Amino acid sequence: MDEPMEESTAQGQPREETKPKSSSILRPGSMVMMTITVEDYETQYWPKLQSAIHQLLTLTPGDYIPISYEQMYSCVYKCVCKQFSERLYSDLLQLVTAHLDTLNVELQGSVTEPQVYIERFNFATNQYVQALGGIVPIFNYMNRFYIESKLKTDLNAVLRQLYTTHVAEQHVNILLPLLLAAEAEPFSVPPSTMASIVKNLHSFKPEFAHIQPELFAKFIPNVLPATCEADLAKYIEESKLMQERILEEYGYNRGNQCRKRPGEDDMPKVTPVTFMPKNPGL
């Protein structure tokens, strides 16, 4: 008796045994199969993020540090997927708040030296603004799926409010009078430094402009109300007073409108010398 022949396809080839395909999301090592314990978070994930945040907060403006944003983003992604969003958000705010409290104390220690104090405040503010440019992207996944969806706010706004509360509001009433005093001494504070401080303060909290509107109006448009015809006389008088102050302080004399330099008339006139041969026929 003949043995049964193998089942073949229409082309006469043996039919291959098909295996059910497993979903790629269930393969070993995928996020579905992965678990993160509290110990994993505290010993592996958060220390990496903590180190990166500290480096960003203390980085000199304009410098660069070799942080793997892909690796940091991956840490945040895994923590959020494994229900550590609330813990991660709390740890981030505690770390940033501790840094700002330390910064506040350091700034208070230099208040007795106005120029040093102004420069340090400007440096610290620019440093923090630069740090936000690195921290917010790292925590973008947490921002989208926890802060925005559940807390109904934005990470960048939260971190900026921390700086406003712990640093800016603690120093604005000391800083602005010093900036006004510096205006009376030209170039005692570089114009770029003054502009940077005023613009940053306004960006953190526009209401700061109400404290010294005249100062903010020099760097921020539309701070003062629109000019009307009734204000022209006041502005003319201010212009006259400014001109008089300049004449008194710097000794300019506008009575002599001559364009000659002082003592130019007393200088002996020099007869031009020519080396051209004389024409004997003349």
Side-chain angles (χ1 to χ4, degrees):
M1 183 176 179
D2 296 335
E3 295 182 359
M5 298 180 62
E6 294 182 356
E7 185 179 0
S8 59
T9 61
Q11 290 77 14
Q13 298 295 330
R15 179 176 296 176
E16 296 179 357
E17 184 179 356
T18 58
K19 296 181 180 180
K21 295 181 178 180
S22 60
S23 174
S24 61
I25 200 171
L26 297 177
R27 69 181 184 270
S30 68
M31 283 301 300
V32 171
M33 303 298 294
M34 180 181 176
T35 59
I36 297 179
T37 64
V38 174
E39 183 180 359
D40 292 335
Y41 172 83
E42 293 177 348
T43 60
Q44 298 180 29
Y45 293 94
W46 174 243
K48 293 179 182 178
L49 292 168
Q50 184 181 29
S51 176
I53 296 166
H54 176 74
Q55 290 182 67
L56 289 169
L57 288 172
T58 57
L59 180 66
T60 300
D63 286 355
Y64 169 79
I65 52 176
I67 289 180
S68 173
Y69 283 88
E70 182 180 1
Q71 184 183 28
M72 296 302 104
Y73 186 91
S74 176
C75 288
V76 173
Y77 172 77
K78 293 174 183 177
C79 292
V80 173
C81 289
K82 294 305 174 181
Q83 309 302 316
F84 280 88
S85 300
E86 185 174 354
R87 175 72 182 274
L88 185 61
Y89 179 66
S90 175
D91 288 342
L92 172 62
L93 296 192
Q94 288 181 15
L95 178 60
V96 175
T97 300
H99 169 78
L100 294 177
D101 288 340
T102 302
L103 177 62
N104 177 39
V105 174
E106 292 176 352
L107 289 174
Q108 289 177 350
S110 59
V111 171
T112 54
E113 303 176 77
Q115 292 187 359
V116 174
Y117 172 70
I118 291 172
E119 289 290 346
R120 287 184 177 176
F121 185 90
N122 182 52
F123 178 88
T125 306
N126 289 330
Q127 185 181 54
Y128 188 75
V129 171
Q130 176 180 274
L132 293 185
I135 295 173
V136 173
I138 288 175
F139 289 87
N140 180 57
Y141 192 81
M142 182 183 70
N143 185 48
R144 291 171 55 196
F145 294 97
Y146 176 73
I147 301 176
E148 291 182 352
S149 62
K150 187 174 182 180
L151 304 182
K152 306 302 180 184
T153 185
D154 176 76
L155 179 60
N156 186 60
V158 171
L159 296 179
R160 291 178 69 87
Q161 183 58 42
L162 284 179
Y163 188 85
T164 301
T165 303
H166 292 269
V167 179
E169 289 180 347
Q170 308 301 319
H171 294 271
V172 66
N173 290 323
I174 302 173
L175 185 65
L176 294 183
L178 294 178
L179 294 179
L180 286 175
E183 281 193 314
E185 303 177 13
F187 301 104
S188 61
V189 174
S192 59
T193 299
M194 188 172 295
S196 175
I197 292 175
V198 172
K199 290 178 180 179
N200 280 327
L201 286 175
H202 188 266
S203 69
F204 279 105
K205 188 175 181 179
E207 290 79 6
F208 284 149
H210 300 161
I211 302 175
Q212 293 290 351
E214 299 290 341
L215 175 63
F216 278 79
K218 295 177 180 179
F219 305 97
I220 308 295
N222 303 322
V223 170
L224 297 177
T227 303
C228 60
E229 185 177 355
D231 297 327
L232 293 179
K234 181 184 71 172
Y235 291 138
I236 293 173
E237 184 64 23
E238 289 180 356
S239 178
K240 289 181 179 179
L241 292 175
M242 181 183 67
Q243 293 176 6
E244 292 175 358
R245 181 174 63 84
I246 292 175
L247 292 174
E248 292 175 359
E249 293 184 1
Y250 302 102
Y252 293 120
N253 185 4
R254 62 183 178 185
N256 182 9
Q257 301 295 327
C258 180
R259 292 188 175 185
K260 292 184 178 181
R261 292 171 293 183
E264 187 174 358
D265 289 336
D266 300 332
M267 297 175 62
K269 294 184 178 180
V270 179
T271 304
V273 179
T274 177
F275 295 95
M276 295 294 294
K278 294 182 179 181
N279 189 344
L282 296 178

